[in-house]
Amino acid sequence: LGPDGPRTHLAPLGSLPDGTVVEHDDTFWLVRGERLHAWTFGGYRAARPRSEFPTDVVVRTPRANVATLRAGFQPAYHPTAT
C-alpha cells in the first residue's frame, strides 16, 4: 500500500486510454490503440491485440495518471512501441 492507497487497481481493459501500463502474465504491457506492447529493458516487443487479454486487467499506471491520459494528455512513445 502506498500513502494514498493501493498502488495497483483492476479496470476493464476497454476503458483504459492509450499510454496506460497494465500487468498480465508477469509482464508489463503498454496500451496503445487496439494493441498492447510488452515492455522489456531493451524496448517494447511485438504487440498483441486487446482481444488476447482478459476483460479486467491489473493497472500499474497510477489512477491520477490514467485520469490525465483520459483528459487528453498525449504521451511520447519509445520508437519500439509502434
Side-chain angles (χ1 to χ4, degrees):
L1 260 174
D4 299 319
R7 295 197 185 269
T8 63
H9 63 279
L10 285 176
L13 180 57
S15 73
L16 298 173
D18 288 358
T20 302
V21 174
V22 301
E23 185 177 354
H24 176 65
D25 286 341
D26 297 321
T27 301
F28 293 135
W29 298 85
L30 170 70
V31 176
R32 187 158 187 208
E34 290 303 312
R35 303 181 71 73
L36 279 74
H37 300 263
W39 178 86
T40 71
F41 285 106
Y44 290 94
R45 293 189 306 219
R48 291 174 39 193
R50 284 185 188 234
S51 61
E52 292 184 13
F53 292 83
T55 302
D56 292 326
V57 291
V58 175
V59 180
R60 294 300 234 156
T61 302
R63 290 177 191 265
N65 295 58
V66 173
T68 300
L69 292 166
R70 275 198 187 107
F73 178 81
Q74 296 295 313
Y77 295 102
H78 190 271
T80 58
T82 58

